[in-house]
Amino acid sequence: MRPLDEYRRKRDFTRSPEPAGTSTSATARRQPQPLSFCVQKHLASHLHYDLRLEHHGVLLSWAIPKGPSLDPATKRLAMHVEDHPIEYGTFEGVIPEGYGAGIVMLWDAGTWTPEVSDVDAALAKGDLKFRLDGHKLKGSWVLVRTRGYGGQRGGESRSWLLIKHRDEWSGERDITALAPLSVKSESDFAEILASDNPDVWRSGQTGSGGPVSGGETGKLLRTILDQAADLKAARESQHPTRRASAPRETATPPPAGARGRAARKTAAKTRPR
Ligand code: MN
């Protein structure tokens, strides 16, 4: 299997804004320095955080349901998922339908340094120590494979734990709550959705294609959809001649005037800063 086969098999790039990725074969063996890493906050069927580490021309990826913790006593489940293309490291936006449908925020980005001499051997062993130098995550960390669920056909488990090592960057502060916004756009989910197409899941929220309809995540998504609609209405009433430039724009612009002003007031109040 070539490096990005699984990634590409799961996605339809005529319908998803995610990068298809360029061929990695030519440059894959030349490790550039420093290596990049990112964490994407992804509101899909469940809210989770995707940690991605550049390695041999792709991004090794783990989905972390609760997100990273700076507390060395808190081990966070990290499901090893398919490698992603390098270009994914700067991606932020809305996946309207299909695999991973939802909103992707670039939550952290920077460089990483392995604390082992052989990353492939560390991955095979299930014990990868490394340093992160991001905006939010720094210092020494370890990913340890567990004998959890997710093993395929008797193969090795896909479940790992992400653990912060004790150092000057560890602590008890809840980094996901303290620093919830994008490092790329400083936006929250509602603002990312509002700059794309806030009506993307309006017509068929409980039908196919949309990310979620029920439970806590469904409730969160509905709040975000409402905030995004308010933000968009507010923007359009502030700039009545400037149309939103999102290419997939299909929404009918709301009437300017009283409704716009009301929406702007609501948006200002509900904007979670
Ligand atoms: Mn994800």
Side-chain angles (χ1 to χ4, degrees):
M1 213 169 74
R2 286 167 306 160
L4 295 173
D5 279 356
E6 187 180 353
Y7 172 85
R8 291 185 177 130
R9 183 171 49 74
K10 287 179 172 173
R11 292 166 174 81
D12 176 355
F13 297 106
T14 63
R15 292 168 185 272
S16 171
E18 297 165 288
T22 48
S23 170
T24 58
S25 53
T27 54
R29 294 293 132 183
R30 283 222 330 267
Q31 282 285 64
Q33 296 289 338
L35 300 165
S36 67
F37 93 95
C38 75
V39 177
Q40 273 139 342
K41 186 170 162 185
H42 186 183
L43 180 64
S45 55
H46 293 91
L47 177 66
H48 61 274
Y49 294 73
D50 292 301
L51 168 66
R52 309 189 195 282
L53 305 175
E54 177 181 5
H55 179 60
H56 289 331
V58 295
L59 296 173
L60 306 171
S61 297
W62 286 264
I64 306 169
K66 292 187 175 173
S69 168
L70 302 185
D71 183 355
T74 305
K75 304 172 165 75
R76 287 285 158 86
L77 175 68
M79 296 302 292
H80 192 193
V81 297
E82 75 275 14
D83 296 344
H84 279 52
I86 289 293
E87 293 87 341
Y88 212 95
T90 53
F91 175 71
E92 174 170 285
V94 177
I95 305 171
E97 59 181 305
Y99 186 78
I103 311 170
V104 177
M105 174 201 293
L106 190 61
W107 182 79
D108 199 10
T111 60
W112 78 286
T113 314
E115 291 188 311
V116 294
S117 54
D118 185 339
V119 171
D120 290 306
L123 290 169
K125 192 177 150 206
D127 185 342
L128 176 62
K129 296 182 173 68
F130 56 96
R131 294 187 67 79
L132 295 179
D133 189 8
H135 297 269
K136 300 174 186 180
L137 305 182
K138 290 175 185 289
S140 180
W141 299 73
V142 64
L143 275 162
V144 195
R145 188 166 53 231
T146 71
R147 289 181 301 166
Y149 53 90
Q152 294 173 320
R153 296 185 295 275
E156 64 195 18
S157 159
R158 283 189 163 244
S159 66
W160 297 58
L161 296 171
L162 175 69
I163 309 165
K164 180 78 193 75
H165 284 145
R166 198 167 297 282
D167 59 17
E168 71 269 39
W169 302 107
S170 62
E172 285 174 14
R173 291 163 303 139
D174 181 352
I175 188 68
T176 57
L178 280 171
L181 302 181
S182 164
V183 293
K184 181 176 182 176
S185 60
E186 296 180 348
S187 300
D188 60 20
F189 278 136
E191 289 165 319
I192 293 168
L193 185 56
S195 10
D196 194 284
N197 174 10
D199 297 322
V200 60
W201 301 301
R202 276 289 177 201
S203 50
Q205 266 181 61
T206 53
S208 61
V212 274
S213 54
E216 281 302 303
T217 316
K219 220 156 66 181
L220 174 60
L221 179 68
R222 278 189 294 279
T223 307
I224 288 166
L225 285 164
D226 289 342
Q227 288 173 345
D230 287 349
L231 279 169
K232 191 182 171 195
R235 280 177 197 171
E236 290 187 353
S237 67
Q238 278 167 338
H239 307 283
T241 55
R242 208 177 77 192
R243 282 279 167 270
S245 58
R248 287 197 303 279
E249 180 63 46
T250 53
T252 316
R259 195 177 165 273
R261 277 194 299 276
R264 187 163 65 232
K265 256 165 81 182
T266 315
K269 253 194 313 212
T270 56
R271 228 162 103 150
R273 276 281 170 202

